[in-house]
Short mmCIF file of all heavy atoms in Angstrom, two decimals:
data_model
loop_
_atom_site.label_atom_id
_atom_site.label_comp_id
_atom_site.label_asym_id
_atom_site.label_seq_id
_atom_site.Cartn_x
_atom_site.Cartn_y
_atom_site.Cartn_z
N MET L 16 15.54 35.05 52.88
CA MET L 16 16.54 34.68 51.89
C MET L 16 16.22 35.44 50.54
O MET L 16 15.16 35.27 50.05
CB MET L 16 16.72 33.25 51.71
CG MET L 16 17.68 32.87 50.67
SD MET L 16 17.77 31.02 50.39
CE MET L 16 19.22 30.60 51.44
N GLU L 17 17.23 36.04 49.99
CA GLU L 17 16.94 36.87 48.77
C GLU L 17 17.10 35.95 47.53
O GLU L 17 18.06 35.11 47.49
CB GLU L 17 18.07 37.89 48.62
CG GLU L 17 17.90 38.84 47.47
CD GLU L 17 18.93 39.86 47.41
OE1 GLU L 17 19.55 40.21 48.39
OE2 GLU L 17 19.20 40.39 46.28
N ASP L 18 16.23 36.00 46.57
CA ASP L 18 16.19 35.27 45.38
C ASP L 18 17.16 35.84 44.43
O ASP L 18 17.05 36.92 44.03
CB ASP L 18 14.83 35.20 44.71
CG ASP L 18 14.69 34.42 43.54
OD1 ASP L 18 15.67 33.62 43.26
OD2 ASP L 18 13.62 34.45 42.82
N LYS L 19 18.21 35.10 44.08
CA LYS L 19 19.27 35.43 43.14
C LYS L 19 19.06 35.04 41.76
O LYS L 19 19.85 35.06 40.79
CB LYS L 19 20.57 35.14 43.57
CG LYS L 19 20.91 35.56 45.02
CD LYS L 19 22.07 36.41 45.04
CE LYS L 19 22.36 36.80 46.43
NZ LYS L 19 23.04 38.10 46.52
N THR L 20 17.78 34.46 41.46
CA THR L 20 17.49 33.88 40.11
C THR L 20 17.36 35.10 39.17
O THR L 20 16.51 36.09 39.47
CB THR L 20 16.23 33.16 40.12
OG1 THR L 20 16.33 32.16 41.07
CG2 THR L 20 15.89 32.57 38.74
N PRO L 21 18.06 35.14 38.05
CA PRO L 21 17.95 36.28 37.16
C PRO L 21 16.62 36.24 36.46
O PRO L 21 15.92 35.35 36.27
CB PRO L 21 19.05 35.90 36.05
CG PRO L 21 19.40 34.59 36.20
CD PRO L 21 19.04 34.15 37.65
N ALA L 22 16.13 37.46 36.33
CA ALA L 22 14.80 37.75 35.74
C ALA L 22 14.85 37.21 34.23
O ALA L 22 15.89 37.32 33.58
CB ALA L 22 14.39 39.21 35.68
N PRO L 23 13.84 36.60 33.69
CA PRO L 23 13.83 36.17 32.34
C PRO L 23 13.90 37.39 31.42
O PRO L 23 13.52 38.50 31.77
CB PRO L 23 12.51 35.44 32.20
CG PRO L 23 11.61 36.06 33.28
CD PRO L 23 12.59 36.39 34.39
N PRO L 24 14.43 37.22 30.19
CA PRO L 24 14.47 38.27 29.30
C PRO L 24 13.00 38.83 29.06
O PRO L 24 12.03 38.22 29.04
CB PRO L 24 15.03 37.61 27.96
CG PRO L 24 15.69 36.47 28.47
CD PRO L 24 14.92 35.99 29.67
N ARG L 25 12.97 40.19 28.88
CA ARG L 25 11.71 40.82 28.64
C ARG L 25 11.17 40.68 27.27
O ARG L 25 10.00 40.78 27.00
CB ARG L 25 11.84 42.31 29.01
CG ARG L 25 12.19 42.57 30.38
CD ARG L 25 11.94 44.12 30.73
NE ARG L 25 10.66 44.58 30.51
CZ ARG L 25 10.34 45.74 30.39
NH1 ARG L 25 11.13 46.77 30.41
NH2 ARG L 25 9.05 46.07 30.20
N VAL L 26 12.11 40.40 26.35
CA VAL L 26 11.67 40.29 24.92
C VAL L 26 11.96 38.86 24.45
O VAL L 26 13.02 38.38 24.69
CB VAL L 26 12.48 41.36 24.06
CG1 VAL L 26 12.20 41.26 22.59
CG2 VAL L 26 12.40 42.71 24.54
N VAL L 27 11.04 38.30 23.76
CA VAL L 27 11.16 37.03 23.15
C VAL L 27 10.96 37.24 21.57
O VAL L 27 9.96 37.84 21.14
CB VAL L 27 10.19 36.00 23.58
CG1 VAL L 27 10.33 34.70 22.80
CG2 VAL L 27 10.39 35.79 25.08
N VAL L 28 12.01 36.78 20.79
CA VAL L 28 11.86 36.80 19.29
C VAL L 28 11.68 35.38 18.87
O VAL L 28 12.64 34.63 19.04
CB VAL L 28 13.15 37.47 18.68
CG1 VAL L 28 12.97 37.61 17.24
CG2 VAL L 28 13.28 38.92 19.30
N ASP L 29 10.48 35.10 18.28
CA ASP L 29 10.25 33.70 17.88
C ASP L 29 11.02 33.37 16.59
O ASP L 29 11.48 34.17 15.88
CB ASP L 29 8.76 33.50 17.60
CG ASP L 29 7.99 33.25 18.94
OD1 ASP L 29 8.58 32.90 20.01
OD2 ASP L 29 6.73 33.54 18.98
N GLU L 30 11.02 31.99 16.43
CA GLU L 30 11.77 31.55 15.14
C GLU L 30 11.12 32.04 13.96
O GLU L 30 9.92 32.41 13.89
CB GLU L 30 11.69 29.98 15.18
CG GLU L 30 10.33 29.43 15.07
CD GLU L 30 10.42 27.82 15.18
OE1 GLU L 30 10.84 27.28 14.13
OE2 GLU L 30 10.07 27.28 16.21
N PRO L 31 11.93 32.17 12.93
CA PRO L 31 11.41 32.69 11.56
C PRO L 31 10.36 31.86 11.10
O PRO L 31 10.51 30.57 10.91
CB PRO L 31 12.64 32.69 10.70
CG PRO L 31 13.77 32.50 11.56
CD PRO L 31 13.40 31.83 12.76
N LEU L 32 9.21 32.50 10.72
CA LEU L 32 8.15 31.76 9.92
C LEU L 32 7.93 32.54 8.66
O LEU L 32 7.53 33.78 8.79
CB LEU L 32 6.86 31.64 10.72
CG LEU L 32 7.02 30.81 12.08
CD1 LEU L 32 5.80 30.95 12.88
CD2 LEU L 32 7.33 29.39 11.68
N ASP L 33 7.99 32.04 7.52
CA ASP L 33 7.84 32.74 6.29
C ASP L 33 8.79 33.96 6.24
O ASP L 33 8.50 35.05 5.66
CB ASP L 33 6.41 33.26 6.13
CG ASP L 33 5.42 32.13 5.89
OD1 ASP L 33 5.84 31.00 5.51
OD2 ASP L 33 4.34 32.21 6.43
N GLY L 34 9.99 33.89 6.95
CA GLY L 34 10.94 34.90 6.86
C GLY L 34 10.72 36.01 7.99
O GLY L 34 11.47 36.95 8.10
N ARG L 35 9.50 35.86 8.62
CA ARG L 35 9.17 36.99 9.64
C ARG L 35 9.44 36.41 11.08
O ARG L 35 9.36 35.19 11.30
CB ARG L 35 7.70 37.38 9.53
CG ARG L 35 7.41 37.93 8.12
CD ARG L 35 5.93 38.14 7.85
NE ARG L 35 5.31 36.83 7.85
CZ ARG L 35 4.00 36.69 8.11
NH1 ARG L 35 3.22 37.65 8.31
NH2 ARG L 35 3.50 35.36 8.02
N ARG L 36 9.59 37.33 12.00
CA ARG L 36 9.83 37.00 13.42
C ARG L 36 8.84 37.64 14.22
O ARG L 36 8.74 38.88 14.17
CB ARG L 36 11.18 37.27 13.93
CG ARG L 36 12.31 36.39 13.31
CD ARG L 36 13.60 36.76 13.80
NE ARG L 36 14.64 35.74 13.56
CZ ARG L 36 14.95 34.80 14.45
NH1 ARG L 36 14.33 34.74 15.62
NH2 ARG L 36 15.92 33.97 14.18
N ARG L 37 7.99 36.92 14.98
CA ARG L 37 7.12 37.44 15.92
C ARG L 37 7.79 37.95 17.22
O ARG L 37 8.81 37.23 17.65
CB ARG L 37 6.03 36.47 16.37
CG ARG L 37 5.01 36.95 17.42
CD ARG L 37 3.63 36.63 17.05
NE ARG L 37 3.16 36.46 15.79
CZ ARG L 37 2.52 37.53 15.16
NH1 ARG L 37 2.50 38.76 15.59
NH2 ARG L 37 2.00 37.39 13.91
N VAL L 38 7.48 39.08 17.76
CA VAL L 38 8.09 39.66 18.84
C VAL L 38 7.13 39.78 19.95
O VAL L 38 5.98 40.26 19.86
CB VAL L 38 8.69 41.06 18.57
CG1 VAL L 38 9.39 41.71 19.81
CG2 VAL L 38 9.62 40.93 17.33
N LEU L 39 7.50 39.33 21.25
CA LEU L 39 6.68 39.45 22.41
C LEU L 39 7.50 40.25 23.53
O LEU L 39 8.72 40.07 23.69
CB LEU L 39 6.43 38.09 22.96
CG LEU L 39 5.52 37.20 22.10
CD1 LEU L 39 6.34 36.03 21.67
CD2 LEU L 39 4.25 36.83 22.74
N ILE L 40 6.83 41.29 24.16
CA ILE L 40 7.51 41.88 25.17
C ILE L 40 6.59 41.70 26.37
O ILE L 40 5.44 41.97 26.38
CB ILE L 40 7.56 43.56 24.90
CG1 ILE L 40 8.37 43.72 23.62
CG2 ILE L 40 8.10 44.21 26.15
CD1 ILE L 40 8.34 45.20 23.14
N ASP L 41 7.29 41.27 27.41
CA ASP L 41 6.59 40.85 28.71
C ASP L 41 5.28 40.04 28.56
O ASP L 41 4.38 40.19 29.02
CB ASP L 41 6.20 42.12 29.57
CG ASP L 41 7.45 42.84 30.06
OD1 ASP L 41 8.54 42.24 30.28
OD2 ASP L 41 7.35 44.12 30.20
N GLY L 42 5.46 39.05 27.50
CA GLY L 42 4.45 38.12 27.13
C GLY L 42 3.35 38.67 26.26
O GLY L 42 2.42 37.93 25.79
N GLN L 43 3.48 39.96 25.89
CA GLN L 43 2.39 40.53 25.03
C GLN L 43 2.92 40.59 23.58
O GLN L 43 4.10 41.02 23.25
CB GLN L 43 2.08 41.96 25.48
CG GLN L 43 1.54 42.06 26.78
CD GLN L 43 0.16 41.51 26.74
OE1 GLN L 43 -0.71 41.66 25.84
NE2 GLN L 43 -0.28 40.74 27.87
N ASP L 44 2.15 40.10 22.51
CA ASP L 44 2.51 40.14 21.21
C ASP L 44 2.48 41.61 20.73
O ASP L 44 1.45 42.32 20.77
CB ASP L 44 1.44 39.34 20.43
CG ASP L 44 1.85 39.19 18.94
OD1 ASP L 44 2.61 39.93 18.41
OD2 ASP L 44 1.20 38.28 18.33
N VAL L 45 3.65 42.01 20.31
CA VAL L 45 3.74 43.40 19.85
C VAL L 45 3.95 43.60 18.26
O VAL L 45 4.15 44.72 17.80
CB VAL L 45 4.81 44.18 20.58
CG1 VAL L 45 4.56 44.41 22.03
CG2 VAL L 45 6.23 43.52 20.39
N GLY L 46 3.97 42.43 17.58
CA GLY L 46 4.09 42.56 16.15
C GLY L 46 5.10 41.53 15.52
O GLY L 46 5.64 40.68 16.23
N VAL L 47 5.38 41.80 14.24
CA VAL L 47 6.19 40.94 13.44
C VAL L 47 7.27 41.87 12.76
O VAL L 47 6.87 42.99 12.32
CB VAL L 47 5.42 40.17 12.32
CG1 VAL L 47 6.28 39.43 11.41
CG2 VAL L 47 4.34 39.31 13.03
N VAL L 48 8.52 41.43 12.76
CA VAL L 48 9.51 42.22 12.07
C VAL L 48 10.26 41.22 11.09
O VAL L 48 10.20 40.03 11.23
CB VAL L 48 10.63 42.74 13.14
CG1 VAL L 48 9.86 43.69 14.00
CG2 VAL L 48 11.22 41.65 13.96
N VAL L 49 10.87 41.88 10.07
CA VAL L 49 11.60 41.15 9.12
C VAL L 49 13.08 41.51 8.96
O VAL L 49 13.85 40.88 8.13
CB VAL L 49 10.98 41.31 7.67
CG1 VAL L 49 9.48 40.72 7.67
CG2 VAL L 49 11.05 42.72 7.31
N SER L 50 13.44 42.35 9.87
CA SER L 50 14.93 42.70 9.80
C SER L 50 15.47 43.16 11.19
O SER L 50 14.65 43.54 12.02
CB SER L 50 15.20 43.79 8.79
OG SER L 50 14.67 45.01 9.27
N PRO L 51 16.70 43.16 11.42
CA PRO L 51 17.30 43.66 12.72
C PRO L 51 16.86 45.08 12.91
O PRO L 51 16.51 45.60 13.97
CB PRO L 51 18.72 43.55 12.64
CG PRO L 51 19.03 42.62 11.38
CD PRO L 51 17.83 42.65 10.50
N ASP L 52 16.85 45.98 11.79
CA ASP L 52 16.60 47.36 11.98
C ASP L 52 15.11 47.58 12.38
O ASP L 52 14.90 48.39 13.28
CB ASP L 52 16.82 48.15 10.69
CG ASP L 52 18.25 48.26 10.40
OD1 ASP L 52 19.11 48.14 11.25
OD2 ASP L 52 18.67 48.34 9.25
N GLU L 53 14.17 46.70 11.95
CA GLU L 53 12.78 46.85 12.36
C GLU L 53 12.67 46.53 13.90
O GLU L 53 11.96 47.18 14.61
CB GLU L 53 11.91 45.86 11.58
CG GLU L 53 11.51 46.50 10.24
CD GLU L 53 10.38 45.60 9.61
OE1 GLU L 53 10.01 44.63 10.11
OE2 GLU L 53 9.97 46.05 8.52
N LEU L 54 13.42 45.45 14.26
CA LEU L 54 13.41 45.09 15.62
C LEU L 54 13.99 46.19 16.53
O LEU L 54 13.39 46.43 17.60
CB LEU L 54 14.19 43.78 15.97
CG LEU L 54 14.27 43.27 17.31
CD1 LEU L 54 12.76 43.00 17.85
CD2 LEU L 54 14.99 41.96 17.44
N ARG L 55 15.07 46.72 16.13
CA ARG L 55 15.60 47.79 16.98
C ARG L 55 14.63 48.99 17.03
O ARG L 55 14.48 49.61 18.15
CB ARG L 55 16.97 48.33 16.30
CG ARG L 55 18.13 47.44 16.51
CD ARG L 55 19.45 48.10 16.04
NE ARG L 55 20.49 47.17 16.11
CZ ARG L 55 20.98 46.32 15.17
NH1 ARG L 55 20.39 46.30 13.98
NH2 ARG L 55 21.91 45.48 15.42
N ARG L 56 14.08 49.29 16.01
CA ARG L 56 13.13 50.51 16.02
C ARG L 56 11.89 50.13 16.92
O ARG L 56 11.49 51.03 17.79
CB ARG L 56 12.56 50.83 14.62
CG ARG L 56 13.59 51.56 13.78
CD ARG L 56 13.00 52.14 12.49
NE ARG L 56 12.54 51.12 11.54
CZ ARG L 56 13.33 50.51 10.61
NH1 ARG L 56 14.49 50.87 10.49
NH2 ARG L 56 12.74 49.64 9.88
N LEU L 57 11.43 48.88 16.82
CA LEU L 57 10.31 48.48 17.69
C LEU L 57 10.67 48.53 19.16
O LEU L 57 10.03 49.10 20.05
CB LEU L 57 9.87 47.11 17.37
CG LEU L 57 8.61 46.61 18.00
CD1 LEU L 57 7.82 45.73 17.03
CD2 LEU L 57 9.01 45.71 19.27
N LEU L 58 11.82 48.13 19.48
CA LEU L 58 12.33 48.11 20.97
C LEU L 58 12.70 49.46 21.42
O LEU L 58 12.48 49.73 22.67
CB LEU L 58 13.49 47.08 21.10
CG LEU L 58 13.26 45.58 20.82
CD1 LEU L 58 14.44 44.84 20.98
CD2 LEU L 58 12.14 45.12 21.72
N HIS L 59 13.13 50.38 20.54
CA HIS L 59 13.45 51.64 20.83
C HIS L 59 12.14 52.43 21.13
O HIS L 59 12.08 53.18 22.16
CB HIS L 59 14.12 52.35 19.71
CG HIS L 59 14.49 53.84 20.00
ND1 HIS L 59 15.43 54.28 20.83
CD2 HIS L 59 13.88 54.88 19.43
CE1 HIS L 59 15.34 55.65 20.91
NE2 HIS L 59 14.47 56.03 20.11
N ARG L 60 11.15 52.27 20.33
CA ARG L 60 9.76 52.81 20.51
C ARG L 60 9.16 52.46 21.88
O ARG L 60 8.48 53.15 22.54
CB ARG L 60 8.82 52.52 19.47
CG ARG L 60 9.04 53.33 18.19
CD ARG L 60 7.95 53.29 17.18
NE ARG L 60 7.57 51.94 16.84
CZ ARG L 60 8.05 51.19 15.89
NH1 ARG L 60 8.99 51.72 15.00
NH2 ARG L 60 7.68 49.93 15.65
N ALA L 61 9.47 51.19 22.21
CA ALA L 61 8.95 50.53 23.53
C ALA L 61 9.77 51.02 24.63
O ALA L 61 9.50 50.75 25.81
CB ALA L 61 8.95 49.14 23.41
N GLY L 62 10.87 51.82 24.43
CA GLY L 62 11.66 52.31 25.56
C GLY L 62 12.55 51.32 26.24
O GLY L 62 13.05 51.53 27.23
N LEU L 63 12.92 50.24 25.43
CA LEU L 63 13.69 49.15 25.98
C LEU L 63 15.20 49.24 25.59
O LEU L 63 15.97 48.60 26.31
CB LEU L 63 13.14 47.76 25.47
CG LEU L 63 11.77 47.47 26.15
CD1 LEU L 63 11.26 46.16 25.55
CD2 LEU L 63 11.86 47.35 27.61
N MET L 64 15.56 49.98 24.51
CA MET L 64 16.97 50.03 24.15
C MET L 64 17.10 51.29 23.21
O MET L 64 16.11 51.75 22.61
CB MET L 64 17.37 48.84 23.45
CG MET L 64 16.66 48.45 22.19
SD MET L 64 17.14 46.72 21.48
CE MET L 64 18.71 47.08 20.77
N GLU L 65 18.31 51.59 22.99
CA GLU L 65 18.71 52.63 22.04
C GLU L 65 18.52 52.04 20.68
O GLU L 65 18.74 50.90 20.57
CB GLU L 65 20.12 53.15 22.28
CG GLU L 65 20.30 53.96 23.52
CD GLU L 65 19.38 55.12 23.60
OE1 GLU L 65 19.28 55.86 22.57
OE2 GLU L 65 18.72 55.41 24.64
N GLU L 66 18.32 52.85 19.72
CA GLU L 66 18.04 52.38 18.31
C GLU L 66 19.23 51.69 17.81
O GLU L 66 19.12 50.79 16.90
CB GLU L 66 17.48 53.42 17.47
CG GLU L 66 16.75 52.90 16.34
CD GLU L 66 15.97 54.01 15.53
OE1 GLU L 66 15.65 55.04 16.23
OE2 GLU L 66 15.58 53.76 14.38
N ASP L 67 20.53 51.97 18.18
CA ASP L 67 21.66 51.45 17.53
C ASP L 67 22.29 50.36 18.53
O ASP L 67 23.39 49.89 18.25
CB ASP L 67 22.71 52.47 17.22
CG ASP L 67 23.10 53.26 18.43
OD1 ASP L 67 22.43 53.19 19.45
OD2 ASP L 67 24.10 54.14 18.36
N ALA L 68 21.64 49.92 19.54
CA ALA L 68 22.16 48.93 20.48
C ALA L 68 22.28 47.56 19.87
O ALA L 68 21.43 47.28 18.95
CB ALA L 68 21.27 48.91 21.68
N PRO L 69 23.22 46.79 20.30
CA PRO L 69 23.33 45.36 19.81
C PRO L 69 22.06 44.57 20.20
O PRO L 69 21.52 44.74 21.27
CB PRO L 69 24.57 44.83 20.35
CG PRO L 69 24.89 45.74 21.55
CD PRO L 69 24.18 47.12 21.28
N LEU L 70 21.73 43.50 19.45
CA LEU L 70 20.59 42.67 19.62
C LEU L 70 20.93 41.41 20.29
O LEU L 70 20.11 40.57 20.49
CB LEU L 70 19.82 42.38 18.27
CG LEU L 70 19.22 43.67 17.52
CD1 LEU L 70 18.69 43.23 16.26
CD2 LEU L 70 18.06 44.20 18.46
N ASP L 71 22.16 41.21 20.67
CA ASP L 71 22.60 39.94 21.26
C ASP L 71 22.76 39.92 22.69
O ASP L 71 23.50 39.29 23.38
CB ASP L 71 23.91 39.45 20.58
CG ASP L 71 24.99 40.57 20.75
OD1 ASP L 71 24.78 41.56 21.38
OD2 ASP L 71 26.16 40.25 20.41
N ASN L 72 21.94 40.88 23.42
CA ASN L 72 21.93 40.96 24.92
C ASN L 72 21.02 39.90 25.41
O ASN L 72 19.84 40.13 25.41
CB ASN L 72 21.52 42.33 25.35
CG ASN L 72 21.47 42.49 26.80
OD1 ASN L 72 21.62 41.52 27.60
ND2 ASN L 72 21.19 43.73 27.25
N PRO L 73 21.47 38.82 26.06
CA PRO L 73 20.55 37.72 26.48
C PRO L 73 19.83 38.18 27.80
O PRO L 73 18.94 37.52 28.13
CB PRO L 73 21.64 36.52 26.87
CG PRO L 73 22.91 37.28 27.08
CD PRO L 73 22.94 38.49 26.27
N GLU L 74 20.27 39.19 28.37
CA GLU L 74 19.45 39.69 29.60
C GLU L 74 18.18 40.42 29.15
O GLU L 74 17.29 40.51 29.99
CB GLU L 74 20.33 40.56 30.42
CG GLU L 74 21.41 39.83 31.10
CD GLU L 74 22.27 40.72 31.96
OE1 GLU L 74 21.90 41.96 32.19
OE2 GLU L 74 23.34 40.29 32.39
N LEU L 75 18.13 40.87 27.94
CA LEU L 75 16.91 41.53 27.40
C LEU L 75 16.20 40.67 26.42
O LEU L 75 14.96 40.66 26.41
CB LEU L 75 17.43 42.89 26.69
CG LEU L 75 16.23 43.61 25.97
CD1 LEU L 75 15.23 44.15 27.01
CD2 LEU L 75 16.80 44.84 25.20
N ILE L 76 16.88 39.96 25.45
CA ILE L 76 16.25 39.30 24.37
C ILE L 76 16.58 37.73 24.44
O ILE L 76 17.68 37.30 24.50
CB ILE L 76 16.72 39.91 23.08
CG1 ILE L 76 16.38 41.31 22.96
CG2 ILE L 76 15.96 39.15 21.84
CD1 ILE L 76 16.96 42.02 21.66
N GLU L 77 15.51 37.05 24.37
CA GLU L 77 15.60 35.53 24.24
C GLU L 77 15.26 35.21 22.82
O GLU L 77 14.12 35.52 22.29
CB GLU L 77 14.59 34.89 25.17
CG GLU L 77 14.60 33.41 25.11
CD GLU L 77 13.63 32.80 26.17
OE1 GLU L 77 13.60 33.32 27.34
OE2 GLU L 77 12.89 31.90 25.83
N TRP L 78 16.11 34.53 22.05
CA TRP L 78 15.91 34.20 20.68
C TRP L 78 15.46 32.74 20.58
O TRP L 78 16.08 31.85 21.16
CB TRP L 78 17.26 34.34 19.82
CG TRP L 78 17.60 35.84 19.75
CD1 TRP L 78 18.39 36.62 20.63
CD2 TRP L 78 17.26 36.71 18.82
NE1 TRP L 78 18.50 37.88 20.29
CE2 TRP L 78 17.83 37.98 19.10
CE3 TRP L 78 16.47 36.68 17.64
CZ2 TRP L 78 17.63 39.16 18.33
CZ3 TRP L 78 16.27 37.70 16.81
CH2 TRP L 78 16.85 38.92 17.28
N HIS L 79 14.52 32.45 19.78
CA HIS L 79 14.04 31.23 19.50
C HIS L 79 14.28 30.88 18.03
O HIS L 79 13.94 31.68 17.16
CB HIS L 79 12.60 30.99 19.77
CG HIS L 79 12.21 31.13 21.19
ND1 HIS L 79 10.91 30.96 21.72
CD2 HIS L 79 12.99 31.47 22.37
CE1 HIS L 79 10.86 31.17 23.06
NE2 HIS L 79 12.11 31.55 23.36
N GLY L 80 14.80 29.69 17.72
CA GLY L 80 14.97 29.29 16.31
C GLY L 80 16.06 30.01 15.57
O GLY L 80 15.86 30.24 14.43
N GLY L 81 17.05 30.41 16.24
CA GLY L 81 18.15 31.15 15.62
C GLY L 81 18.59 32.34 16.43
O GLY L 81 18.00 32.47 17.54
N SER L 82 19.64 33.07 16.02
CA SER L 82 20.21 34.01 16.88
C SER L 82 19.81 35.38 16.23
O SER L 82 19.14 35.53 15.24
CB SER L 82 21.69 33.84 16.85
OG SER L 82 22.16 34.15 15.56
N SER L 83 20.49 36.31 16.75
CA SER L 83 20.17 37.74 16.24
C SER L 83 20.79 37.88 14.91
O SER L 83 20.48 38.98 14.18
CB SER L 83 20.88 38.85 17.06
OG SER L 83 22.23 38.53 17.30
N ASP L 84 21.53 36.95 14.29
CA ASP L 84 22.04 36.98 12.88
C ASP L 84 21.16 36.24 11.92
O ASP L 84 21.46 36.30 10.74
CB ASP L 84 23.46 36.38 12.88
CG ASP L 84 24.49 37.19 13.73
OD1 ASP L 84 24.40 38.40 13.81
OD2 ASP L 84 25.29 36.52 14.32
N ASP L 85 20.11 35.56 12.33
CA ASP L 85 19.22 34.87 11.46
C ASP L 85 17.97 35.61 11.02
O ASP L 85 17.01 35.73 11.73
CB ASP L 85 18.84 33.58 12.18
CG ASP L 85 19.98 32.65 12.43
OD1 ASP L 85 20.84 32.65 11.56
OD2 ASP L 85 19.97 32.03 13.59
N TRP L 86 18.12 36.20 9.76
CA TRP L 86 16.98 37.00 9.19
C TRP L 86 16.75 36.52 7.85
O TRP L 86 17.27 37.22 6.88
CB TRP L 86 17.29 38.44 9.34
CG TRP L 86 17.46 38.97 10.71
CD1 TRP L 86 18.53 38.98 11.47
CD2 TRP L 86 16.31 39.34 11.56
NE1 TRP L 86 18.18 39.46 12.79
CE2 TRP L 86 16.86 39.66 12.77
CE3 TRP L 86 14.97 39.47 11.34
CZ2 TRP L 86 16.09 40.09 13.86
CZ3 TRP L 86 14.19 40.00 12.41
CH2 TRP L 86 14.66 40.24 13.69
N PRO L 87 16.07 35.38 7.58
CA PRO L 87 15.97 34.95 6.20
C PRO L 87 15.13 35.86 5.31
O PRO L 87 15.45 35.83 4.04
CB PRO L 87 15.09 33.67 6.45
CG PRO L 87 14.49 33.72 7.79
CD PRO L 87 15.43 34.64 8.59
N ALA L 88 14.34 36.77 5.78
CA ALA L 88 13.67 37.70 4.88
C ALA L 88 14.27 39.07 4.91
O ALA L 88 13.53 40.00 4.26
CB ALA L 88 12.22 37.81 5.23
N ALA L 89 15.35 39.34 5.53
CA ALA L 89 15.93 40.72 5.77
C ALA L 89 16.16 41.23 4.31
O ALA L 89 16.76 40.50 3.45
CB ALA L 89 17.15 40.59 6.49
N PRO L 90 15.87 42.51 4.09
CA PRO L 90 16.23 43.10 2.86
C PRO L 90 17.60 43.10 2.62
O PRO L 90 18.52 43.33 3.49
CB PRO L 90 15.72 44.57 2.98
CG PRO L 90 14.74 44.52 4.25
CD PRO L 90 15.19 43.33 5.04
N ARG L 91 18.11 42.88 1.36
CA ARG L 91 19.53 42.86 1.09
C ARG L 91 19.94 44.03 0.29
O ARG L 91 19.35 44.65 -0.38
CB ARG L 91 19.79 41.54 0.29
CG ARG L 91 19.33 40.35 0.95
CD ARG L 91 20.08 39.16 0.53
NE ARG L 91 19.48 37.92 1.08
CZ ARG L 91 19.61 37.50 2.31
NH1 ARG L 91 20.38 38.13 3.17
NH2 ARG L 91 19.04 36.29 2.74
#
């Protein structure tokens, strides 16, 4: 019997702490970002998405403590 359970998202973005968000890819800590643009660049360098792709893809990214719109330390 084939397992139809969807794979968990490859990227986890933790809840904001001091305005920063820790990023894990396949369970490995890959750093901290403070803006959506930083996250896009990080994921692009990792070969997971295009640099201008939306960040609200639940098949790729699991958000903890907020959504892709929650960036308390994002440059204004």
Side-chain angles (χ1 to χ4, degrees):
M16 176 182 262
E17 184 179 337
D18 182 10
K19 302 241 183 210
T20 305
R25 295 192 61 198
V26 179
V27 173
V28 180
D29 280 337
E30 65 183 282
L32 299 173
D33 298 332
R35 301 171 292 160
R36 287 179 166 269
R37 178 142 321 273
V38 180
L39 298 114
I40 298 177
D41 293 331
Q43 297 292 323
D44 185 342
V45 295
V47 174
V48 295
V49 297
S50 72
D52 290 335
E53 279 190 359
L54 178 59
R55 283 187 185 93
R56 285 191 297 270
L57 186 144
L58 297 179
H59 178 71
R60 286 191 307 269
L63 294 176
M64 64 185 286
E65 293 299 317
E66 204 165 339
D67 60 349
L70 296 173
D71 58 356
N72 178 352
E74 293 178 9
L75 176 64
I76 302 174
E77 179 178 318
W78 292 90
H79 294 187
S82 70
S83 60
D84 295 326
D85 295 320
W86 295 92
R91 301 203 192 281

